[in-house]
Amino acid sequence: MIQRVQNAGARILLRNNSMADKKKKVFAVKESAPRRPVILKSDRETVKDQSKEKQEKEKQPTIILKTREQSTPKEERPQSPKIIKTSTCESEGQPCKIAQNENKEKKNIEHKLVPPLKFMTEPVKLLDENLELNNAALEFLHDSSTNYLVVGIIGTQGVGKSMILNLIANNIHDENLCSQILNSYEIVADNLYEGNEVVGLENQLEALDFAGVPEPKPQPAANNGIFKFKMQDIEQIERGVHCTKGIDMYITNDRVMLLDCQALWSPSLIEESNTTITARSANVVTVDCLQIASYLMATCHVLIAVQDWFTDYNFLRYIQAAEMLKPSLSASNTIANNQEGSESTGGGESHPHLLLLHNRCQLEDFTPEAVATMQDLYRQAFQKSNLQLNSGMYMYSDTNKNGLNVDSVCKGYNVESCGMPINLFLLPEIYSDFENREIYRGHPPFEQLAKRLRWMILGVNRHQITNVPNLSERGWFHYCSKAWETIRKCTFFMEYERFLP
C-alpha cells in the first residue's frame, strides 16, 4: 500500500512539473513576439484640422428662401438655374440629339441653299484668247449631276465646226434649217461698212434725207438665237480670218457640253501671235493647237474630226501626233477626291469616241465605192490608235458584228458593198436650189441627215473620263483645269517643237 501511495504521488508531481513547463513555454513565446510601435499624434494633423475648420467657418451661410406665394402666377415665379438650363435644352433640342443629327442638319441646309441651275443663252470661254482657263462656266455646272455628255470638235479653218455644233445643240426640228444656214453667211447690216471711209459719206447722205427714211434691212437668221455658236460670214471667209479663238463652251438643256476649239494651224492665228511672221511663230501656234487637241482627247466623251474633202493626210498625222504627245492623266494626279475601291479604266487614261465627219460632200462621195474607200483608209490609219472607231455611229447597220438594228441612211449601204462600218458620217453641201426635189442628189435631205447625226452622238456610250466613278459636272471642270495645267507643263510638246522645221 505504501508503494502504491508513493507511486501515485510521483505521478502527481510529474504532471504538475509538466504543466509548469508548458506554462513557461507559453509565456516565453508571448514575451518573445515583437510589440507594435505606438505612433503618437503629430502637430501637422492638428494644423490641417484647424485649416479645415477655418474653411468651414468661411463658407457662405445657407439662405432659407421663403415659400412661393400662391397668388403669383406660375410663369412669373422665379426658377432655379437647373430648371432654366433644362428648359433651354428642351426648347433647343437635347444635346445628344443635336450631336447625332448635326451632320444631317448641315446636309439639309446645304441642300436647301443650292441655287437654281442656270441655263446658258450663249457660249462662254473655257479657254480664252491667251489659252488660260476661264471659270465663267462654273455657275452653269451642277454639283450633283452625273448624266452629262462632253462633245469636242477639231478641224482646219472654214470646214464648218461651229455649224456642226449648232446642229447638235438645236433640239427643235426646223424645216427651214438649210435656209438659215445659207443666210448665216450674210453680213449684219450694222457692220456692213464698219471701219471704212464710206461711212462718213453715207451719214451725210442720210442727213440730207432725199428719199425719206430708208427701210431697215432684215437681220440674218443667225442672230435670232437659233444658232448658238458664231459662224463665219462672207467677209471673214473672203479675208481668211478665223472666227473662234481658244475654246468656246455651251451647255444645252439636255446637259450636253459642246466644245468648239480654234482652227488648226490657221494663218490668221499666226498673224495675230506676232507682228513679224517667222518660222518660230508658226511652230508655236502648231504646238498650241496640238495641246488643245490633246486636251479635248483627255476631257471629252466624243471627239469629232471634221474635213470638207477626202482626205488631208496632214490632218490625220496631226490627230496621231496629238494622241502620241498626250501625257498620262491619272485621276490620282489630277483630281483630289479619289475614292477607295474605285475601278480604274486603263490606268486612268481616257480614250474618246472618234467620229470622222465629212462636210460639204458632193454627189460622188455618197457612192458605196467611195464610202468603202474612206473606211478602209481610216481603218488602216488608226489601226494602232487607242481612239474608239467602233462606237455605233455608223451610216448603215452592222448586224454581223455588233448585233445592231439601225436603219441605214442610204439603202445602198451594207456590209457586202461597203465593208465593216466605222464611225464615219457624211453631210452634203447646201446649194441655193435645195428645195428643188427634181434634182437627183444621191442622198437624203440635209434635215434628215442632221437629225440622224444628232441622234447618233447623243446615244453614244458615255464612258468614265477618269477612274473616279460618278464624276459630277463640277468635278469634271476641276479635272479639266488640272488636265490643262498638266498639258501646258508637259515637256513632250517642247521637245516636239524643237524638231519642227
Side-chain angles (χ1 to χ4, degrees), residues 160-350:
K161 300 184 296 297
S162 300
M163 184 202 71
I164 293 168
L165 290 183
N166 286 327
L167 296 178
I168 301 172
N170 188 14
N171 56 0
I172 300 173
H173 180 67
D174 195 353
E175 296 179 355
N176 300 324
L177 184 61
C178 294
S179 60
Q180 292 171 2
I181 294 174
L182 291 175
N183 293 332
S184 65
Y185 298 114
E186 296 181 0
I187 303 174
V188 183
D190 297 337
N191 301 328
L192 187 59
Y193 296 102
E194 185 177 0
N196 197 346
E197 296 179 357
V198 185
V199 176
L201 296 175
E202 288 188 350
N203 293 333
Q204 294 177 6
L205 293 174
E206 289 178 0
L208 295 175
D209 196 9
F210 289 114
V213 180
E215 296 182 358
K217 295 182 180 180
Q219 297 290 333
N223 297 331
N224 58 5
I226 297 176
F227 294 149
K228 304 302 180 182
F229 292 94
K230 183 182 178 182
M231 296 185 288
Q232 285 184 327
D233 53 25
I234 191 64
E235 182 182 0
Q236 292 176 338
I237 294 173
E238 291 176 352
R239 293 174 55 195
V241 181
H242 63 278
C243 188
T244 305
K245 183 69 184 291
I247 296 180
D248 293 341
M249 179 180 179
Y250 179 76
I251 305 174
T252 64
N253 297 341
D254 300 328
R255 312 314 297 168
V256 179
M257 304 178 189
L258 303 175
L259 306 180
D260 186 13
C261 77
Q262 65 185 18
L264 304 180
W265 64 78
S266 173
S268 60
L269 290 173
I270 300 173
E271 185 179 358
E272 284 187 358
S273 60
N274 292 314
T275 55
T276 58
I277 299 176
T278 59
R280 169 68 179 170
S281 59
N283 293 341
V284 169
V285 173
T286 301
V287 172
D288 290 343
C289 295
L290 279 172
Q291 289 178 342
I292 291 176
S294 300
Y295 178 67
L296 293 179
M297 290 180 184
T299 57
C300 293
H301 293 105
V302 180
L303 181 63
I304 305 174
V306 187
Q307 299 180 81
D308 56 355
W309 62 289
F310 178 75
T311 180
D312 190 357
Y313 293 101
N314 293 325
F315 181 66
L316 299 181
R317 293 193 188 99
Y318 204 85
I319 298 175
Q320 294 172 353
E323 184 187 5
M324 176 186 66
L325 297 175
K326 183 173 74 72
S328 177
L329 300 171
S330 60
S332 59
N333 295 329
T334 56
I335 193 163
N337 55 352
N338 188 9
Q339 301 177 359
E340 297 181 358
S342 59
E343 297 180 359
S344 61
T345 57
E349 293 295 327
S350 174

Side-chain angles (χ1 to χ4, degrees), residues 323 379-387:
E323 184 187 5
R379 192 179 292 109
Q380 293 177 6
F382 295 100
Q383 184 177 3
K384 297 181 180 180
S385 175
N386 290 323
L387 301 174

